[in-house]
Amino acid sequence: LQNPHALKSQAIESLCCDNLGNVWIGTLYNGLHVFKPSQNRFARLYPGERSLETGSSLRLLCKSDSNKVWMVEPGKSLFLYDSENEHVVKRFPTNNTFWLLGEIISGAEDVNGILWCGTAKNGLVRFDPETRSISNYLPPDSSKNLSHYGRIGEVAIDSQDQIWCTNRTRGVYRFNPANKTFTEYPANPQTGFPLPAGAFSLLIDKNDLTWCGTNDGLLYFDPTTDGFVQVDLLNSSTQNGPSVFCISET
């Protein structure tokens, strides 16, 4: 940590790769770090109001078009950052007008440049950075316990512009932006096995297949049965597998 070209924090909040192959790392209390393979070293940046020395928590949400990444300083600001030229393109304070963005957990950008965000208790949030319009959509049963059912964890978008998102209590949702409805996937209709409540991660691969990492293993969505199927990672006949917290495609 004393090396000026090393990572300045061990408390990593999030990771994101841009189109240039740079790895962006959001940290707890130490701002933003970027690893550029061409230089084989880390650099620290902070695009917020405070200095690099003071730093703050920054969470990377997703890559945008071209060479930009979305990031958020929880409770303060949402940024669109140009990773090639290293400057803030747009900044949106997450209070007053944009208060719905105040507790962002994750995000994904669709083909139209709309940012879809998972939040701690405001459900799924749609944000248009051009018009600055913002709206949120709450999953079923959110009225019973907003902080419980209204929490959206990971967000991913498929080729049909369907928004997939996780809730650790209910499982996985698929949101249709056209009719603004959620489809809930709490169980696999083929096997009857419940989708584990601990749905941690999502990935939509190059073949448009949706993968979900859970507390009980890895699952993928089978459109022929309209349900999730568990992958046997342990080559065993038991239902449960190892917890899968992160999924990445090579």
Side-chain angles (χ1 to χ4, degrees):
L1 294 175
Q2 301 304 316
N3 186 329
H5 302 307
L7 187 64
K8 297 295 187 292
S9 175
Q10 295 177 336
I12 296 174
E13 284 269 276
S14 53
L15 293 168
C16 179
C17 294
D18 64 22
N19 294 332
L20 297 174
N22 301 318
V23 180
W24 293 84
I25 304 170
T27 69
L28 190 64
Y29 307 126
N30 276 287
L32 176 69
H33 295 68
V34 58
F35 178 76
K36 297 186 176 183
S38 59
Q39 300 176 5
N40 194 31
R41 66 180 185 178
F42 289 93
R44 183 168 61 148
L45 306 168
Y46 183 66
E49 297 173 343
R50 285 179 279 180
S51 67
L52 275 173
E53 287 70 28
T54 304
S56 185
S57 300
L58 281 169
R59 181 177 297 133
L60 275 295
L61 300 179
C62 61
K63 64 180 180 180
S64 179
D65 62 340
S66 186
N67 301 313
K68 302 179 182 66
V69 292
W70 283 103
M71 64 187 73
V72 64
E73 180 184 6
K76 291 188 175 293
S77 296
L78 173 70
F79 300 96
L80 181 60
Y81 192 79
D82 186 328
S83 59
E84 183 175 18
N85 299 304
E86 299 183 354
H87 70 91
V88 175
V89 179
K90 295 178 181 178
R91 175 179 176 272
F92 307 95
T94 56
N95 53 22
N96 300 325
T97 305
F98 305 118
W99 65 272
L100 283 171
L101 296 171
E103 297 185 58
I104 297 175
I105 298 173
S106 61
E109 187 184 82
D110 67 21
V111 294
N112 298 312
I114 304 298
L115 184 65
W116 295 86
C117 300
T119 66
K121 59 182 179 181
N122 291 316
L124 182 65
V125 171
R126 178 189 185 276
F127 179 61
D128 186 335
E130 294 301 322
T131 64
R132 300 197 172 201
S133 62
I134 187 169
S135 52
N136 72 312
Y137 306 95
L138 295 174
D141 295 328
S142 294
S143 58
K144 295 179 181 179
N145 188 329
L146 193 59
S147 61
H148 203 51
Y149 297 106
R151 181 182 178 88
I152 295 295
E154 293 297 310
V155 178
I157 305 174
D158 65 22
S159 65
Q160 303 300 312
D161 292 330
Q162 302 291 292
I163 317 297
W164 293 83
C165 46
T166 63
N167 178 287
R168 293 191 180 183
T169 301
R170 305 291 290 186
V172 176
Y173 295 111
R174 182 175 62 185
F175 180 75
N176 186 335
N179 57 25
K180 299 177 176 58
T181 58
F182 286 90
T183 300
E184 185 179 1
Y185 292 97
N188 183 341
Q190 184 180 32
T191 64
F193 291 155
L195 182 69
F200 297 119
S201 53
L202 277 176
L203 171 72
I204 297 176
D205 67 20
K206 298 172 184 176
N207 298 316
D208 210 32
L209 189 64
T210 301
W211 297 83
C212 180
T214 74
N215 203 29
D216 288 326
L218 180 66
L219 298 91
Y220 67 90
F221 182 74
D222 184 354
T224 63
T225 62
D226 196 37
F228 280 86
V229 178
Q230 193 157 22
V231 178
D232 189 358
L233 298 176
L234 301 178
N235 295 319
S236 68
S237 58
T238 60
Q239 177 189 345
N240 296 339
S243 296
V244 177
F245 294 96
C246 181
I247 312 172
S248 179
E249 184 175 20
T250 58

